[in-house]
Amino acid sequence: MVFRWSMIGLLAAGSLLAQAPTPKTATPKMPAPGPAPVPGEKTAVPLTEADLETFLDGFMPLQIGRLNIAGAVVAVVKDGKMLFAKGYGYADVAHKRPVVAESTLFRPGSISKLFTWTAVMQQVEQGKLDLDTDVNTYLDFKLPSAFGKPITLRDIMTHRAGYQETIKHLFVKTSGELVPRRQYLLEHMPDRIFPPGKVPAYSNYATTLAAYIVERVSGQTFEDYVDQHIFQPLDMHEATFRQPLPASLANQMSDGYKTATDSAKGFEFVEVAPAGSLSAAATDMCHFMIAHLQDGKYGNTQILQAATAQQMHSPQKGWPDGMHAMDLGFYEESRNGHHIIGHGGDTQWFHSDLHLILDQNVGFFVSYNSAGNPEGNGSARAILFNAFLDRYFPETTPQPPTLATSATDAKAVSGVYISSRRFETNLFSPLSLFGEASIVPDPKDSTLLMIPDQKGLNGQPVRYREIAPMRFREVGGKEQIAFANDSTGRRILYLDFPFEMSQRVDHTLNAKGTNLHLLIASLVIMALTLIGWPVGAMIRRHYGQTLELAGDARRLRLLVYAACILCFIVLAMLASFLNKFTNDFGLGKNGDFNIHCMQILGILTGLGAIAAIYQCIGSWRDGGRWIWAK
């Protein structure tokens, strides 16, 4: 689930295996205990276990209480050792079972992918895989040709395989609905909408494809492979990709919640397991962070060669200077003058981040078992990490001044943009139109850019000022955006999270607003039409009149009324379907029947629209009809 501009974001907030934290739109206004620096102060507090415990013991209970979050766990490693790990709140609210860092399992969502990428790189070391070879070489089925260029593992690990978004069967309701990995890959192969290696567009499908390749070349199932080659060497005994959980771990799983005051949700079964099914205790995640911070080494065990780990942590080509780039699986998220890489993840109920501050040999992991109140904007983890950085690794370099060209450039880049991570040819493609976002100069200050749909924690639109040619930084914050043109001259918006980008659309209207207004207007007209049916009958009865329609005209009139009723039925079904999708795995196997029903009824509604247009034209041509009847 990150600028959540697309409709993908609206749906993914409750359902997708999102890849990153929510937008880091503001520094927290929450007080920190102990000798925390005042806002603007550049003096770092030494990162020690004692100070960290004081800081987090004040910060976390306040945060989860204020945002109505059930529980969370935080872990920090430094210089090859676990510095701190502690749980806050409840893993089971009803029974007051506390979160325990050493044993309570959380679902870190797409952070799971880091284990998949580690497995891929282990096979690269062994010479069984090559990052720049056509992946069809390793498969027992063939990916269709597209754009005249094959997909490589480097494309997949940088999220540039070119696939559109797909969400069907990402989650299923029961373990019995899970299907073999090969079957899933064949049945749910999304269309490719970009040439490989060109446009970042995050893909759970492509990650699952990479894991299947690991299975093929290693001769083991993915779950067995990770157990043997990652978990066991790293002493991660409280971690598993298996679904359902092994009996030895099942009682340690935290419940998931929407908010702490909502009911507990069931265990989430992830069909794309290598992309997001990990369950792990925070202390085990510390072992994984230590291994990557120490170039693949944990204790006396080397899970990756040093050169391989360094390669994984290095930015790949294709992103503008000064902006974050994709590494091999990790993504860059440097700030406050420090080199930081990481990954985020969301399931429906769990929301997590993993950050590696490479130049300080520090790792930070946090996971929440609920999103909390809307006022938190889903960004509790971003608030926490920003507070952590500003306390222990504050920004000391003065920010460059706003460029003199800012007003001109702000006007040049303004327009409507659509995310590369989008539906384009599948059932949900129309929803992408509602996810388009406007970027405009600030009406109060033309030197600033404003994104009206992106709100900070204060509820106000986020603004950006130009600090380098076509590169803008958030006013009062840390995020950056940059603009460039692709090979066709189309304007591209690069985001602070490099696994996706946004492309300016050809039209100048805000399609989201236009389509929404058209939808509302259409519904009002249809509602008035249906209301006018009984009202008209009552008026005619009051004045002793009869309906002066017969034969085809009367039947056509009834057909229009039926089409209006049918349209409202379809919308009600769609609303119910999306609600079920968000709250009860509605895109599992049982969702197919509802989808097909809506498709059939939608076609009938379209035919009814033709009848309505025909009747409208005939009505206005009838000179003998009363104006209000027309």
Side-chain angles (χ1 to χ4, degrees):
M1 184 329 70
V2 186
F3 288 79
R4 298 303 186 202
W5 293 347
S6 65
M7 181 55 66
I8 300 167
L10 299 179
L11 296 175
S15 307
L16 285 180
L17 291 170
Q19 69 292 348
T22 47
K24 297 170 176 58
T25 51
T27 301
K29 305 301 182 183
M30 308 169 80
V38 298
E41 187 177 327
K42 302 301 182 182
T43 303
V45 175
L47 178 57
T48 65
E49 180 182 2
D51 188 82
L52 187 57
E53 184 171 18
T54 300
F55 171 62
L56 291 173
D57 281 357
F59 193 102
M60 291 302 295
L62 175 62
Q63 185 187 58
I64 65 176
R66 180 179 177 183
L67 298 181
N68 197 17
I69 292 170
V73 65
V74 184
V76 177
V77 301
K78 181 182 179 183
D79 297 331
K81 298 179 180 179
M82 185 173 69
L83 183 67
F84 177 88
K86 190 171 183 178
Y88 298 91
Y90 294 111
D92 180 344
V93 174
H95 297 93
K96 298 293 186 289
R97 176 164 61 94
V99 174
V100 179
E102 293 78 11
S103 59
T104 305
L105 304 185
F106 275 62
R107 306 295 298 281
S110 283
I111 295 174
S112 306
K113 292 179 174 66
L114 297 180
F115 293 81
T116 301
W117 306 137
T118 300
V120 169
M121 296 306 290
Q122 287 176 336
Q123 295 301 298
V124 170
E125 283 184 348
Q126 296 177 31
K128 295 181 180 179
L129 295 176
D130 181 84
L131 293 177
D132 299 306
T133 294
D134 183 349
V135 295
N136 277 320
T137 304
Y138 309 115
L139 295 171
D140 57 351
F141 59 88
K142 187 174 182 180
L143 301 178
S145 300
F147 300 101
K149 185 180 178 182
I151 296 174
T152 68
L153 282 168
R154 191 182 303 275
D155 296 331
I156 291 175
M157 293 180 74
T158 56
H159 290 292
R160 294 184 294 187
Y163 287 117
Q164 71 171 324
E165 183 60 282
T166 178
I167 57 176
K168 187 178 181 183
H169 296 174
L170 283 185
F171 292 89
V172 293
K173 195 168 184 179
T174 66
S175 61
E177 295 181 43
L178 294 169
V179 300
R181 196 148 292 131
R182 184 180 189 276
Q183 180 181 339
Y184 170 82
L185 291 169
L186 287 170
E187 293 179 353
H188 295 82
M189 188 181 300
D191 290 339
R192 289 158 62 184
I193 59 177
F194 303 115
K198 296 295 184 182
V199 178
Y202 192 84
S203 177
N204 290 303
Y205 177 89
T207 305
T208 307
L209 184 67
Y212 183 64
I213 289 172
V214 170
E215 290 185 330
R216 292 271 302 154
V217 299
S218 70
Q220 295 179 280
T221 67
F222 176 75
E223 291 77 7
D224 286 345
Y225 182 92
V226 173
D227 280 351
Q228 182 177 341
H229 298 283
I230 300 178
F231 290 160
Q232 291 177 15
L234 296 182
D235 290 332
M236 296 180 64
H237 305 297
E238 314 298 319
T240 183
F241 273 84
R242 300 183 186 277
Q243 304 174 106
L245 291 171
S248 60
L249 296 176
N251 292 333
Q252 298 172 217
M253 187 69 223
S254 170
D255 289 331
Y257 300 84
K258 187 175 182 180
T259 67
T261 50
D262 287 325
S263 60
K265 310 300 181 181
F267 184 81
E268 300 166 280
F269 292 96
V270 183
E271 184 68 76
V272 288
S277 75
L278 176 63
S279 302
T283 49
D284 276 24
M285 296 301 293
C286 288
H287 301 177
F288 184 74
M289 290 193 291
I290 290 171
H292 271 280
L293 286 167
Q294 298 194 139
D295 291 337
K297 186 177 182 180
Y298 177 77
N300 296 321
T301 301
Q302 196 87 34
I303 63 167
L304 291 171
Q305 297 173 12
T308 304
Q310 292 165 12
Q311 185 182 13
M312 283 189 74
H313 304 161
S314 300
Q316 302 297 292
K317 297 178 180 179
W319 283 264
D321 292 340
M323 291 296 293
H324 294 151
M326 283 298 303
D327 297 337
L328 288 176
F330 288 90
Y331 53 77
E332 301 281 322
E333 49 176 357
S334 298
R335 65 202 71 167
N336 286 14
H338 293 281
H339 185 197
I340 307 173
I341 64 173
H343 212 289
D346 302 86
T347 66
Q348 291 193 113
W349 317 122
F350 291 83
H351 311 278
S352 312
D353 268 348
L354 183 150
H355 309 280
L356 302 180
I357 310 174
L358 296 180
D359 56 12
Q360 296 296 318
N361 204 15
V362 169
F364 183 98
F365 172 75
V366 61
S367 186
Y368 298 83
N369 62 12
S370 35
N373 291 335
E375 70 175 273
N377 204 24
S379 57
R381 53 193 160 157
I383 295 172
L384 172 62
F385 188 57
N386 278 339
F388 174 85
L389 282 179
D390 290 341
R391 182 178 182 85
Y392 300 108
F393 307 103
E395 191 166 31
T396 57
T397 305
Q399 286 301 303
T402 302
L403 294 191
T405 58
S406 57
T408 301
D409 289 344
K411 184 177 180 180
V413 301
S414 62
V416 179
Y417 290 77
I418 187 169
S419 173
S420 60
R421 187 185 182 188
R422 63 177 181 261
F423 309 109
E424 188 152 303
T425 65
N426 60 26
L427 176 69
F428 287 103
S429 57
L431 297 179
S432 294
L433 294 175
F434 290 92
E436 294 178 359
S438 292
I439 297 180
V440 298
D442 186 346
K444 297 180 181 179
D445 184 349
S446 61
T447 67
L448 302 178
L449 271 181
M450 184 175 73
I451 305 172
D453 288 340
Q454 187 195 8
K455 299 293 195 299
L457 295 180
N458 59 3
Q460 299 302 308
V462 175
R463 292 168 172 81
Y464 296 83
R465 64 183 186 88
E466 190 176 28
I467 60 171
M470 291 299 177
R471 180 155 56 93
F472 296 75
R473 174 164 169 154
E474 178 188 356
V475 175
K478 304 178 187 299
E479 286 195 359
Q480 293 189 122
I481 57 176
F483 298 86
N485 292 336
D486 64 14
S487 58
T488 67
R490 187 180 188 181
R491 184 76 74 184
I492 300 298
L493 166 61
Y494 289 92
L495 308 173
D496 224 18
F497 297 105
F499 42 74
E500 62 183 292
M501 65 189 341
S502 288
Q503 302 163 308
R504 188 157 68 181
V505 297
D506 295 332
H507 57 76
T508 57
L509 292 176
N510 184 337
K512 178 180 179 180
T514 302
N515 284 305
L516 185 60
H517 292 152
L518 286 174
L519 176 62
I520 293 173
S522 299
L523 293 177
V524 169
I525 291 172
M526 286 188 290
L528 290 174
T529 299
L530 293 177
I531 292 172
W533 189 4
V535 170
M538 288 188 290
I539 293 175
R540 288 192 299 272
R541 181 175 180 180
H542 177 77
Y543 289 103
Q545 301 294 317
T546 59
L547 180 63
E548 297 178 355
L549 290 176
D552 291 342
R554 183 182 288 269
R555 284 189 289 271
L556 185 61
R557 176 173 176 270
L558 292 175
L559 182 60
V560 170
Y561 286 135
C564 290
I565 293 171
L566 189 60
C567 186
F568 280 105
I569 291 174
V570 171
L571 288 175
M573 289 181 65
L574 179 61
S576 174
F577 172 75
L578 291 177
N579 179 68
K580 186 175 179 61
F581 161 62
T582 300
N583 296 298
D584 194 26
F585 307 91
L587 283 190
K589 298 181 183 299
N590 294 332
D592 290 356
F593 177 76
N594 294 332
I595 290 173
H596 294 319
C597 284
M598 284 189 291
Q599 289 173 322
I600 294 171
L601 293 178
I603 292 172
L604 295 177
T605 302
L607 295 175
I610 296 174
I613 293 171
Y614 180 79
Q615 188 199 38
C616 179
I617 294 173
S619 176
W620 281 98
R621 286 180 174 177
D622 187 353
R625 298 196 69 183
W626 183 37
I627 183 65
W628 293 110
K630 294 181 180 183

